[in-house]
Amino acid sequence: MCGIVGYVGYQDATTLILEGLQRLEYRGYDSAGVALLNGQGIQVRRDVGKLSNLRAKVDSNPLHGHTGIGHTRWATHGAPMERNAHPHVSMSGDFVLVHNGIVENYLELRAELMAEGVRFDSDTDTEVIVQLIEKFAHNGAQGDIVEATRQAVKRLRGAHAIVVMSQVQPDRLIAVRIGNAGGVAIGLGDGENYIASDIPAILDHTRRMIFLESRQMAIVTAQDVTIETLDGQAITATIHDVPYDPISAVKGEYRHFMQKEIYEQSRAVADTLGGRIDFEHMQVMLPDLNLTPEKAQAIQRLVIVACGTSYYSGLIGKFFLEKIARINVEVDYGSEYRYRDPLIDANTAVLAITQSGETVDTLAAMEEAREKGALLWSIVNAVGSQAMRVSDGYITMNAGPEIGVASTKAFTTSIVDQYLLAVYLGQLRGTLSESERRAYVEALPKLPDLIGRALESAPQIEHLADLLHHCQDFLYLGRGINYPVALEGALKLKEISYIHAEGYPAGEMKHGPIALIDENMPVLTITLKDALYEKMISQVEQAKARGGMVIALATEGDNFIATKADQVIYIPETPELLSPIVAVIPLQLLAYAVAVKRGADVDQPRNLAKSVTVE
Ligand code: AGP
């Protein structure tokens, strides 16, 4: 999940590349670097840590040119140190390269090259690529960067996104994509062209983009862009016109992107619903699914594949799709699904949920589903992303760019998308009466207001964070459709505050985990006025009986719970199927408030990145 930017044209490449890397810093921030060509050979500046360290180094020792590449790193092989920062230069100094992905056979390639006299400067897997390119350039490719790169990448195993340039041919950048190690977007300008691993890096400069597919190469000069297969066959690539929304990509009056994105959820959900409800007939419209009633009726199983927060969203979607569309649903982690030889046939639909549309484990699960003949759908936020492009049909989240590494509005909007999908499938499969369909649809327009009211608990959450931010362990308990909300609440807390937090099905506590509970273990229970309320009350009693501090998430008007729990956070009454969308809001606010009080780096938590494009 590294960030890559390349530029060739008439402007100062350094400025454009650093701006682009700033937009990609959420993808990885262990180190950063930039390389320029300017007639005096290859100039490189690299530094460990955040992009601001690289900026300071460039300010104190400027470099200029009209052709260049840059990189922000999330370390895989080789600790976060300057010597392991990209770009990496070949031994002779002729070639320089940036890379996203993992060279799975780098040890054997490194040994082979060292036996031929190559000296390595870093501990990374990436460096073997630029040394291989040099080897082929000097042996058979007559110095040609295209041919040398073509031959070099054929020796690599794994998924890769690579941009390489040479002082021997300083007018061009070569980009290669193999597998799903993150995207490669080619931005088309006038007398200038761009390369980026993600759209936001270059969206200020162009909206016309080509997205490389796996096993494709781009030869990019200031005037031309040529797309070829790795075997050298020319390809006529599609030029996409990417929507541009500069406002969403800045923090505005908020302290962090995550805070902004939590507070944007009323509008985000309204945008998710926009254009998808026919209020005259009270029915759902999802034309991007390209689905006919016959195809919908033929579906016998639906498998949801996703990772992290998106996986928890899928656990909630299972409830909708089984209850409303009457389809048997299975939910699996992308990283597990692809290795268990899943049973798939033509009557199986596979739905990938992925905010970035570039998560390699989810993309790999989609490939597995495709190879076995499933109907392939995706719910994505990043328009033009790989997951969206390889699907038979898709539903966009329409949440706007989600920059904070901790996913918030993508979680709530992806749940709304699954609810829309469930009603839409119910319509096509005839599993809904007129009154049932109207009731399900009528509940939706109330959501933005319910979310807004849940956000009003922020001052109380601040007080709770004062009490709890020193805690070292947390338990989140939920049942039924809100058990996944307990999982998500725990993930939010642990990934931005570094507190160990566990989400658990409340009914499972008595089978072991209840041994954890004492006065040092805050227990947050999702105790809404739903069919499982009584069960959750007994859960609260059990936790209290063991000295636990219980914070209950409850339904407005429920005064009884206040006699049982130590703290109560109220949310407005919400239809049970939609309650996770509202219940998660206070949990997002709590994680955010605790992390801020602990001085954590909320938008860029340690060890994480926004889009996980390595296995
Ligand atoms: C959630 O806060 C994390 N950022 C992470 O679990 C994320 O949800 C996961 O990596 C999946 O990302 P995706 O939705 O872009 O595929």
Side-chain angles (χ1 to χ4, degrees), residues 307-310 353-357 359 362 405-407 491-492 495 612:
C307 300
T309 286
S310 295
I353 303 173
T354 169
Q355 188 284 134
S356 62
T359 298
T362 303
V405 165
S407 189
L491 176 61
K492 288 286 92 59
E495 71 175 324
V612 183

Side-chain angles (χ1 to χ4, degrees), residues 299-568:
I299 298 169
Q300 290 170 4
R301 282 175 67 232
L302 171 63
V303 183
I304 298 173
V305 293
C307 300
T309 286
S310 295
Y311 170 79
Y312 298 150
S313 171
L315 291 177
I316 293 165
K318 170 183 168 76
F319 284 83
F320 307 148
L321 289 153
E322 291 190 340
K323 180 172 178 61
I324 301 174
R326 313 308 295 165
I327 294 178
N328 180 284
V329 177
E330 183 186 335
V331 189
D332 205 349
Y333 285 109
S335 54
E336 292 298 320
Y337 186 71
R338 58 186 301 209
Y339 292 114
R340 65 181 175 83
D341 191 16
L343 296 175
I344 291 176
D345 61 25
N347 300 322
T348 305
V350 173
L351 169 66
I353 303 173
T354 169
Q355 188 284 134
S356 62
E358 299 292 349
T359 298
V360 71
D361 288 326
T362 303
L363 292 175
M366 294 178 80
E367 271 182 25
E368 179 82 8
R370 168 70 77 212
E371 283 162 17
K372 294 195 170 187
L375 181 60
L376 194 53
W377 296 329
S378 57
I379 290 176
V380 300
N381 195 36
V383 173
S385 59
Q386 177 78 352
M388 180 173 159
R389 298 201 306 276
V390 303
S391 300
D392 296 311
Y394 58 83
I395 310 173
T396 50
M397 296 176 195
N398 299 342
E402 186 178 74
I403 309 298
V405 165
S407 189
T408 49
K409 60 182 182 174
F411 179 70
T412 46
T413 54
S414 63
I415 296 170
V416 173
D417 274 346
Q418 292 175 90
Y419 186 98
L420 290 168
L421 174 62
V423 176
Y424 186 62
L425 287 172
Q427 289 167 194
L428 296 179
R429 293 163 57 88
T431 57
L432 290 178
S433 67
E434 171 80 10
S435 60
E436 284 171 332
R437 190 194 72 242
R438 283 184 170 278
Y440 285 127
V441 174
E442 278 163 5
L444 285 166
K446 303 184 182 91
L447 266 178
D449 175 57
L450 291 169
I451 291 170
R453 287 166 57 193
L455 286 166
E456 291 166 8
S457 63
Q460 183 192 359
I461 299 285
E462 275 295 319
H463 168 66
L464 207 47
D466 278 332
L467 293 175
L468 302 174
H469 69 281
H470 293 302
C471 293
Q472 290 311 311
D473 297 284
F474 248 91
L475 264 180
Y476 287 73
L477 304 182
R479 284 189 89 131
I481 200 167
N482 281 301
Y483 158 47
V485 178
L487 295 171
E488 171 60 9
L491 176 61
K492 288 286 92 59
L493 187 70
K494 74 182 106 177
E495 71 175 324
I496 62 173
S497 71
Y498 316 148
I499 292 174
H500 174 249
E502 273 191 85
Y504 233 88
E508 270 299 294
M509 284 305 293
K510 52 189 175 294
H511 300 288
I514 200 166
L516 289 172
I517 294 181
D518 61 19
E519 64 282 356
N520 301 312
M521 170 79 84
V523 181
L524 190 143
T525 66
I526 303 172
T527 319
L528 305 180
K529 277 288 197 168
D530 57 21
L532 294 166
Y533 177 73
E534 300 302 333
K535 302 283 185 203
M536 285 304 297
I537 289 293
S538 64
Q539 204 59 55
V540 170
E541 303 270 14
Q542 289 169 29
K544 286 298 295 171
R546 284 141 183 93
M549 175 193 180
V550 174
I551 305 115
L553 190 62
T555 305
E556 278 171 4
D558 175 5
N559 299 318
F560 176 70
I561 187 69
T563 66
K564 298 292 179 185
D566 298 285
Q567 299 278 342
V568 182

Side-chain angles (χ1 to χ4, degrees), residues 170-315:
D171 66 332
R172 62 199 53 211
L173 300 177
I174 310 301
V176 173
R177 176 173 191 165
I178 298 174
N180 296 309
V184 178
I186 312 294
L188 308 179
D190 184 4
E192 57 185 7
N193 288 305
Y194 300 79
I195 299 173
S197 50
D198 210 345
I199 292 168
I202 53 179
L203 203 49
D204 281 348
H205 308 293
T206 178
R207 290 173 41 189
R208 299 171 60 240
M209 297 189 193
I210 292 169
F211 300 104
L212 283 194
E213 302 295 343
S214 179
R215 309 201 68 75
Q216 289 185 353
M217 172 188 273
I219 299 133
V220 180
T221 67
Q223 301 306 328
D224 296 303
V225 173
T226 306
I227 310 294
E228 298 179 351
T229 65
L230 289 186
D231 301 325
Q233 289 165 6
I235 291 173
T236 304
T238 304
I239 299 174
H240 297 264
D241 190 7
V242 176
Y244 178 61
D245 175 3
I247 302 302
S248 299
V250 294
K251 276 189 279 198
E253 77 273 15
Y254 293 98
R255 187 173 170 188
H256 297 100
F257 276 111
M258 181 183 179
Q259 184 187 33
K260 170 174 178 276
E261 290 151 10
I262 290 172
Y263 280 90
E264 277 179 340
Q265 290 178 103
S266 287
R267 183 185 60 75
V269 164
D271 290 347
T272 306
L273 294 171
R276 289 166 168 170
I277 297 175
D278 168 0
F279 285 101
E280 185 187 346
H281 303 98
M282 290 308 279
Q283 59 186 12
V284 169
M285 307 175 291
L286 293 174
D288 292 333
L289 270 183
N290 304 315
L291 194 57
T292 62
E294 296 71 28
K295 274 170 64 176
Q297 289 155 22
I299 298 169
Q300 290 170 4
R301 282 175 67 232
L302 171 63
V303 183
I304 298 173
V305 293
C307 300
T309 286
S310 295
Y311 170 79
Y312 298 150
S313 171
L315 291 177

